[in-house]
Amino acid sequence: MKRGMSSMRGKRGMSPMRGKRGMSPKRSISNPAAEKSLSAFKKKVSINQFYKDVIRLVNLERTSRGIPALRESILLDWMAYYKAIDMRDKGYFGHVSPVYGNMGQQYTRFGIRWTAYGENLAYGYTTPQAVVAGWMNSPGHRANILNPNFTYTGVWYTTGGTLGRYWVQVFWRG
């Protein structure tokens, strides 16, 4: 069963966010400390089928409407990982992190330059199919998923904390 607070669009257990900024995107990170952390992340994490399934299902929604598929980015997986762990460990659910700030600040802090971004959050869903269906039934989340300006995505899922299951999908225009 999904549980949660109201999002910006009034759905429970989910929250969408979108933003844009006039800075050229860069496909690599510009922060040396972040680069070292990303290298460690790549070595210790094997991408679980849950993440692949979320991306596959989101891309089915996009391509069935003539929108190009999103490409997975390990950089965005890494950022989604930190967001999910942060929410779980700090006991909050929302777009503004007490550690990383808002999504634009989080991208910048992680050394990722951006021109547009989006974020879908959810908790309580037990499968990729359920979380993607929940997002597609929410106007704000659906808008992120179907936004043709986004070209890359990253996904993370974690368990524990007060809400049990946390899902993060981030979007980026590159």
Side-chain angles (χ1 to χ4, degrees):
M1 176 180 188
K2 69 179 182 190
R3 300 178 201 145
M5 60 181 233
S6 295
S7 73
M8 296 171 2
R9 300 285 182 176
K11 294 290 180 184
R12 294 174 50 94
M14 300 182 290
S15 187
M17 182 156 187
R18 291 176 300 284
K20 50 187 162 175
R21 182 176 179 176
M23 182 189 257
S24 296
K26 185 177 176 186
R27 290 196 180 124
S28 63
I29 57 178
S30 58
N31 179 324
E35 184 71 51
K36 184 176 179 182
S37 179
L38 175 61
S39 294
F41 175 77
K42 286 179 182 178
K43 288 177 187 172
K44 75 177 185 177
V45 175
S46 63
I47 301 300
N48 180 307
Q49 192 60 42
F50 262 25
Y51 315 119
K52 299 290 186 193
D53 284 349
V54 169
I55 293 169
R56 181 183 56 78
L57 292 166
V58 163
N59 280 334
L60 281 173
E61 295 289 349
R62 289 172 64 92
T63 58
S64 72
R65 292 165 176 81
I67 303 164
L70 294 165
R71 290 173 275 179
E72 182 179 8
S73 164
I74 189 74
L75 293 171
L76 297 181
D77 289 337
W78 175 62
M79 199 170 76
Y81 163 81
Y82 275 98
K83 177 64 177 255
I85 299 303
D86 185 51
M87 287 193 302
R88 181 195 70 194
D89 294 351
K90 303 280 186 302
Y92 75 96
F93 178 77
H95 295 292
V96 179
S97 162
V99 174
Y100 303 110
N102 66 37
M103 279 304 297
Q105 292 166 327
Q106 184 174 348
Y107 274 84
T108 300
R109 185 172 180 161
F110 279 68
I112 303 170
R113 295 190 179 165
W114 50 274
T115 58
Y117 65 84
E119 177 181 64
N120 285 351
L121 305 176
Y123 69 87
Y125 291 94
T126 58
T127 66
Q129 294 79 6
V131 76
V132 171
W135 284 334
M136 289 303 292
N137 287 321
S138 163
H141 298 95
R142 181 184 180 95
N144 278 344
I145 289 170
L146 300 180
N147 186 332
N149 292 319
F150 294 139
T151 53
Y152 290 89
T153 192
V155 177
W156 202 263
Y157 164 82
T158 192
T159 59
T162 58
L163 301 177
R165 295 176 177 89
Y166 298 80
W167 296 85
V168 177
Q169 182 172 27
V170 295
F171 304 89
W172 182 69
R173 179 172 58 205

